[in-house]
Amino acid sequence: MTTPPSIAHDVALDIPIAGMTCASCVLRVERAVGKVPGVQRAAVNLATESARVYVQDAALEAAVRRAIRNAGYEPLPTPANAASNQAPVGWHDAWPVLWGVLLSAPLVAPMVLAPWGVQWMLPAWLQCALATPVQLLLGARFYAGAWHALKARSPNMDVLVALGTSAGWLLSLWLWWRSTSMPTAHGHAGPVHLYFEASSVVITLVLLGKWLEGRAKRQTTDAIRGLQALRPETAHLLTSEGEKDVPIAEVLVGDSLRIKPGERVPADAVVTAGQSQVDESLLTGEAMPVSKMVGHRVTGGSINGDGLLTVQVHAVGAESTLARIIRLVEDAQVFKAPIQRLVDQVSAVFVPVVLVLAVLTALAWWWMGAGPEIAITHAVAVLVIACPCALGLATPAAIMVGTGVAARHGILIRDPQALELAHSVVVVAMDKTGTLTVGQPQLVDWFSVDASGMPSADSEGLRCAASLQQGSEHPLAKALLQAAQERGMELLQPEHLQAVPGCGVEADCGEYHYVLGSASWLKQWGAEPASGPCQERMAAWAAQGATVSGLARRTGDMQAQAVAWFAFADQAKPTAQAAIAQLRQLGIAVRMISGDNQAAAVAMAQHLGLQPDEVMAHVLPQDKAREIERLRSLAVQQHGPSVAVAMVGDGINDAPALAAADIGLAMANARGVSDVVSQTAGITLMRGDPMLIAAALDISRQTVRKIRQNLFWAFVYNTAGIPLAALGYLSPMLAGAAMALSSVSVMTNALLLKRWGR
């Protein structure tokens, strides 16, 4: 069962952090923040360089920031939105890399020219003059980070880089001093090979990798920045004095706004005048503009077409649909996927183990007869190749890109646990009405029952049934009211109305007490159709897949007499059949859950390409969760314990089943997405297209595949690189290049997810 990462009644703090370099930094910040009294939970994301901290009181933010600073990192001011945590990374940020290249190039030149027969070496003093600024100035950030890490007894990447490059630089100084203090037999110092170039190139390559990594990180937050860009700056407010422009922050619920052609809708609202086509593609993924007229809802951030609209605002600020979408995407990107726990466990011991391996490497080479220069050089290569930068980026980078791509297609993933579990789904259970069907059933046939139990054309039964449904939002109630309205019926005012969930309603209407609901519920009251024409007509309805309801007049405590019977028909959504076929192509079994009678449910299922044994009918809302549990038990028996079961629904009555499933997918209907439904579901589908179900699961699979690929390559870089460096097959420069390449390759691989759906 998916439990979204939320802590009731706590305050969420989003704090940007500067100075984090690897997975060890993430662990250190989380431990430091977790020790602050009043902190409930902390999640640090290396890719966004930020922390989401839940505290009991907002006043604790100062203490949290102090803890981050004491851990050796810089808590930055919180911007207006989380996507602004990272400043744009451009060429103006590359000056350390450029200086590193300019100073290191002359040091590397002799190595480059040697294969061409050119024997040339810079004087030792010039090598030192070029390498020292790189080591002490450009490398100052590594010394600062290493100092804080060692104080906190949590060594990280900075420790490895600082130790490795310092060893190479100090070794070169010692060799230079020894060559000048120990003259040769000819009375002057002979040429000596120094290692200044190794330290300088390693620092330059690490800085280059971090710069490229920063540019890639910016692309992972494109989705949130794109959503935030949908907010217009001003709105046209209609007042008693006419129209005037006001900042969007001053728009209030109930305000009347005018939206001109081509403008963005400033806030969630209801159309009160005008007609237009509205482009909602960036919010719902719907490619075609949607027709809007009086009474229809428009969502803030969508683009008005060529019509002029007047709307009344019903949600602003944090309560708007756009703000909620951004919040959901940010939440999914902040929290860790379960697979990240493995990375955390490895990172906790990785750097100390590497330090031990580097010492053992130096001792082993020295013991085998190599000089101290060779031994230290190989130890430096071990330190540099082992930096766990890629390990810390592997999971969050893929999650950020995956959730961003999903949001662009109208799929909101609330937390990484849902993202990770969705790839293992083997069964998808779908509610029928509103999910696979349009959810707007029509009254297609009906008849009253006369005193002799025979069908009658008397309209009093329809009038009474519609009267009992006044004010109800149930689809069948709306169909009855529409039919009564089309016939110009004057409705009665029921009294003592009582709804029975999953069954129907009962109330006093006129001089009698009536019950209106499903045929199975009326049967419990003893109200069954008489044999003969009534049963034949209702059997024909059931054979056609119609939903049958009845109206009965109570004659005793638990006795009722049928008054009228009604047949309702709903249409399948145009893409429902294709969506089921696509799920099957993914190897996923499909089940349909319905409260309708068996005949009606099976008829619709067969129209959609489902078999009778794939249908669960007569399922009350409170029983749907039990059916999900049964499906999970069967799936575990067939496929093993690592599988998951998903549930798709669109109504409040689906909330228990959505919560019971491993993955709940809440689908938007004509009224949007219910708060109750979205809070119990791990994934929200922003439009009522069944094709989004397979899309959500496929994005999940692709994202998890990228996570596993990233973790594989991150581990390969380290596990394969460390032995090669220890055995002398990697110089410090090659180790630095490989380490920088590992971070860039992980980010690049994650960014390939952006091609999904193209």
Side-chain angles (χ1 to χ4, degrees), residues 464-482:
C464 187
S467 299
L468 266 60
Q469 296 287 26
Q470 293 179 82
S472 174
E473 291 294 322
H474 194 281
L476 299 185
K478 290 185 175 182
L480 282 171
L481 290 168
Q482 181 181 354

Side-chain angles (χ1 to χ4, degrees), residues 230-316:
L230 300 181
R231 293 189 178 110
E233 297 293 330
T234 60
H236 308 305
L237 178 64
L238 298 179
T239 67
S240 57
E241 301 174 355
E243 178 184 318
K244 66 176 182 179
D245 291 349
V246 297
I248 191 65
E250 297 180 12
V251 173
L252 303 175
V253 173
D255 283 347
S256 290
L257 306 178
R258 180 163 291 160
I259 308 172
K260 299 176 182 178
E263 292 184 337
R264 290 197 179 276
V265 177
D268 294 359
V270 176
V271 178
T272 56
Q275 182 176 351
S276 184
Q277 298 283 325
V278 175
D279 181 359
E280 300 178 337
S281 58
L282 288 178
L283 294 171
T284 66
E286 177 61 59
M288 300 298 295
V290 181
S291 177
K292 301 291 183 180
M293 57 187 66
V294 175
H296 287 187
R297 293 189 177 188
V298 290
T299 305
S302 54
I303 303 175
N304 185 23
D306 55 3
L308 182 65
L309 295 177
T310 301
V311 300
Q312 185 176 35
V313 177
H314 70 79
V316 294

Side-chain angles (χ1 to χ4, degrees), residues 198-459:
S199 299
S200 298
V201 170
V202 166
I203 289 177
T204 300
L205 288 172
V206 173
L207 292 175
L208 174 62
K210 287 297 175 185
W211 180 74
L212 293 173
E213 177 187 309
R215 290 179 64 88
K217 284 179 183 177
R218 288 288 296 175
Q219 296 184 50
T220 64
T221 57
D222 283 348
I224 292 181
R225 288 199 303 276
L227 290 171
Q228 288 163 344
L230 300 181
R231 293 189 178 110
E233 297 293 330
T234 60
H236 308 305
L237 178 64
L238 298 179
T239 67
S240 57
E241 301 174 355
E243 178 184 318
K244 66 176 182 179
D245 291 349
V246 297
I248 191 65
E250 297 180 12
V251 173
L252 303 175
V253 173
D255 283 347
S256 290
L257 306 178
R258 180 163 291 160
I259 308 172
K260 299 176 182 178
E263 292 184 337
R264 290 197 179 276
V265 177
D268 294 359
V270 176
V271 178
T272 56
Q275 182 176 351
S276 184
Q277 298 283 325
V278 175
D279 181 359
E280 300 178 337
S281 58
L282 288 178
L283 294 171
T284 66
E286 177 61 59
M288 300 298 295
V290 181
S291 177
K292 301 291 183 180
M293 57 187 66
V294 175
H296 287 187
R297 293 189 177 188
V298 290
T299 305
S302 54
I303 303 175
N304 185 23
D306 55 3
L308 182 65
L309 295 177
T310 301
V311 300
Q312 185 176 35
V313 177
H314 70 79
V316 294
E319 299 304 317
S320 67
T321 301
L322 179 58
R324 289 167 56 196
I325 291 174
I326 294 173
R327 191 160 58 244
L328 285 173
V329 176
E330 288 176 347
D331 287 346
Q333 295 183 347
V334 165
F335 290 101
K336 296 181 179 180
I339 198 172
Q340 184 70 18
R341 298 184 191 128
L342 172 63
V343 178
D344 291 343
Q345 293 170 358
V346 171
S347 300
V349 298
F350 191 79
V351 176
V353 169
V354 169
L355 293 174
V356 172
L357 290 176
V359 172
L360 293 176
T361 297
L363 293 175
W365 279 95
W366 206 338
W367 179 76
M368 289 188 298
E373 301 91 343
I374 300 299
I376 293 176
T377 300
H378 294 326
V380 169
V382 171
L383 291 173
V384 174
I385 193 65
C387 292
C389 309
L391 206 57
L393 291 169
T395 300
I399 287 175
M400 291 180 66
V401 180
T403 53
V405 168
R408 194 165 59 244
H409 287 82
I411 302 166
L412 300 185
I413 300 172
R414 296 189 66 225
D415 64 291
Q417 183 177 351
L419 185 73
E420 187 172 333
L421 283 176
H423 87 283
S424 59
V425 168
V426 295
V427 179
V428 172
M430 290 184 276
D431 177 57
K432 179 177 78 73
T433 305
T435 302
L436 292 172
T437 66
V438 176
Q440 296 177 347
Q442 304 294 319
L443 181 64
V444 293
D445 198 7
W446 64 280
F447 63 86
S448 293
V449 181
D450 61 19
S452 62
M454 299 296 289
S456 167
D458 184 17
S459 61

Side-chain angles (χ1 to χ4, degrees), residues 735-754:
M739 189 268 286
L741 181 63
S742 67
S743 297
V744 176
S745 63
V746 162
M747 296 297 299
T748 303
N749 188 46
L751 289 172
L752 291 176
L753 276 172
K754 297 177 75 172

